[in-house]
Amino acid sequence: MAVQAQEGLPPAKPVIWNDPRFRAVIYQVLVLGGVIAFGAYLVNNTIANMEARGISSGFGFLTKTAGFDIGQTLIDYNAESPYWRAMVVSIINTLLVSAFGVILATILGFLLGVARLSHNWLISRLAAVYIEIVRNVPLLLQIFFWYFAVLRSVPGPRQSLNAWDSFFLNNRGLYMPRPLFESGFSLVVIGFLVAVVGSVVLARWAKKRQVATGEQFPVFKATLGMVFGLPLLAFLVTGFPLSWEYAELRGFNFVGGLRIQPEFVAMLVALSMYTAAFIGEIVRAGILAVSHGQTEASYALGLRPGLTLRLVVIPQALRVIVPPLTSQYLNLTKNSSLGAAIAYPEIVLVFAGTVLMQTGQAVEIIGLTMAFYLTVSLLISLFMNWYNKKIALVER
């Protein structure tokens, strides 16, 4: 009877240190504690060394006068501005070359990827040669090539290359007319924003309509009409609230107008061409990942090759292309730090270079610079992950 009673009881619990879940928690707590202790040791050791060498800490230096000029500034800045404003200027310059680089590299990379799969022997071979040459030469050398061998070899200001007496290219940069916005131009901007929002709403409505009825709506033509039509209408109604300031040669250089520095052009061209070579291979792999049966089915429905590529192949290939494309965008943004090699005023040159040399606040400045790149990279990753999830295949 006693044996039957023990058989009816639930099995005894194991000793707590033999429980796998308990051991897993203990291991994680120990590892986390070790990491925190190591970080605390580093912080205390750094503070102790700084105090021993008489180095002040903190971010109070950001409010002191910078005392130096920056060649390219998109906001008001001069030598009397504080260090924090120099940091903002350098951040804007970094974001500017990175944003334009991402756009140009994406366009060129997609063209290269499609060209690599072209049935035209010459086009496919030219694309292959471009990719193999550009991606196998270090980026820094390509930056030097565009800056020293190409842009520095153009004539001086007095012998500038002239186009319509409005655009002047010399070794100081490209000078072009500067737009001067007058009162009333805000209506043009509002018209453009309204057109963009209207285009998004129209595209969503057209997609629902096509799903429900099968009928297509000319979204592209309607979007072009709104994006260009509404701002133009506002421009006419407000009486052309825009004038231009032209560059003029005075003495040994041009004054006025809008100047694009050769350092910016060299960085933009080198970053775009280098990254586009990798994106081209990513696009080619993405297109090849789409089953050939999809293309044959599209042809069987009467779609032309161009429509087949745009409506059938590319949308499916994007699911393969987007994840590695994110890495290329991150690489391009971080590679913009090479601009310091040709004195392009990005954050590494201005903030982690000049400001650090003047203030000696190495820990704070390097920490802020790393935090900037980390923030931008995480934002790019978040956006691309959102886009990748949006275009993912949804099972019904």
Side-chain angles (χ1 to χ4, degrees):
M1 292 297 290
V3 174
Q4 290 178 356
Q6 290 179 354
E7 287 179 351
L9 296 174
K13 291 184 178 180
V15 183
I16 191 169
W17 52 82
N18 288 334
D19 188 346
R21 291 177 296 180
F22 175 78
R23 291 203 303 269
V25 172
I26 290 297
Y27 292 152
Q28 293 178 49
V29 170
L30 290 175
V31 171
L32 182 61
V35 171
I36 293 175
F38 182 69
Y41 167 76
L42 288 180
V43 172
N44 291 330
N45 189 45
T46 303
I47 294 174
N49 287 333
M50 291 175 66
E51 290 177 349
R53 287 165 176 76
I55 301 175
S56 60
S57 59
F59 296 94
F61 71 95
L62 289 173
T63 58
K64 296 180 180 177
T65 303
F68 61 89
D69 289 318
I70 299 177
Q72 176 178 302
T73 60
L74 297 184
I75 61 174
D76 292 335
Y77 176 85
N78 55 51
E80 301 299 323
S81 300
Y83 283 122
W84 69 264
R85 200 166 185 84
M87 181 184 68
V88 173
V89 170
S90 63
I91 287 176
I92 293 176
N93 289 339
T94 301
L95 295 177
L96 180 71
V97 73
S98 300
F100 278 100
V102 165
I103 295 172
L104 293 180
T106 303
I107 296 173
L108 182 58
F110 267 78
L111 293 176
L112 286 171
V114 174
R116 283 279 280 134
L117 298 173
S118 173
H119 296 296
N120 187 305
W121 184 88
L122 180 61
I123 291 177
S124 64
R125 293 302 182 277
L126 285 177
V129 169
Y130 171 89
I131 289 173
E132 294 303 329
I133 290 178
V134 173
R135 74 174 179 176
N136 289 310
V137 175
L139 176 58
L140 185 59
L141 290 181
Q142 296 188 40
I143 294 173
F144 286 160
F145 169 78
W146 287 108
Y147 184 65
F148 293 110
V150 177
L151 296 176
R152 280 297 178 186
S153 61
V154 297
R158 290 182 179 276
Q159 295 79 33
S160 298
L161 303 176
N162 183 356
W164 305 292
D165 288 332
S166 302
F167 298 87
F168 304 93
L169 177 65
N170 55 57
N171 56 13
R172 305 282 177 86
L174 174 63
Y175 293 83
M176 59 180 63
R178 178 195 296 273
L180 299 176
F181 304 109
E182 301 171 0
S183 61
F185 193 81
S186 58
L187 288 179
V188 180
V189 177
I190 293 174
F192 175 76
L193 296 176
V194 170
V196 171
V197 174
S199 301
V200 174
V201 174
L202 179 65
R204 296 173 69 90
W205 170 81
K207 186 176 181 180
K208 292 181 179 177
R209 177 175 178 264
Q210 184 176 357
V211 171
T213 65
E215 297 180 4
Q216 289 186 338
F217 186 83
V219 177
F220 183 71
K221 294 179 180 177
T223 300
L224 281 183
M226 285 196 294
V227 170
F228 288 99
L230 281 180
L232 181 60
L233 180 61
F235 195 69
L236 295 175
V237 170
T238 53
F240 303 97
L242 178 65
S243 58
W244 299 92
E245 178 191 71
Y246 292 88
E248 183 180 353
L249 181 61
R250 294 180 185 173
F252 297 100
N253 202 359
F254 282 86
V255 294
L258 181 64
R259 177 193 174 207
I260 299 179
Q261 290 188 328
E263 292 83 6
F264 173 79
V265 177
M267 284 298 300
L268 182 61
V269 173
L271 284 174
S272 303
M273 295 186 65
Y274 181 75
T275 309
F278 293 91
I279 293 178
E281 285 299 274
I282 292 172
V283 171
R284 184 175 73 91
I287 293 176
L288 289 177
V290 178
S291 171
H292 189 62
Q294 298 286 325
T295 304
E296 293 178 341
S298 177
Y299 290 161
L301 292 174
L303 292 179
R304 297 187 297 274
L307 287 175
T308 298
L309 181 67
R310 185 164 62 88
L311 300 177
V312 177
V313 177
I314 293 297
Q316 298 183 72
L318 280 177
R319 300 181 182 108
V320 180
I321 292 172
V322 169
L325 190 64
T326 304
S327 299
Q328 294 305 318
Y329 289 168
L330 297 178
N331 288 337
L332 187 148
T333 304
K334 289 179 287 188
N335 286 337
S336 66
S337 61
L338 293 175
I342 58 171
Y344 176 69
E346 43 74 52
I347 188 169
V348 172
L349 176 68
V350 175
F351 193 59
T354 306
V355 176
L356 191 152
M357 294 298 177
Q358 290 190 356
T359 62
Q361 303 290 139
V363 175
E364 293 84 354
I365 290 176
I366 295 301
L368 287 174
T369 306
M370 292 173 65
F372 163 73
Y373 280 109
L374 179 62
T375 303
V376 173
S377 298
L378 290 177
L379 290 176
I380 293 175
S381 298
L382 285 174
F383 174 77
M384 294 302 290
N385 289 337
W386 167 82
Y387 180 69
N388 188 38
K389 185 178 180 181
K390 189 174 179 59
I391 63 173
L393 185 63
V394 179
E395 298 289 346
R396 296 183 178 179

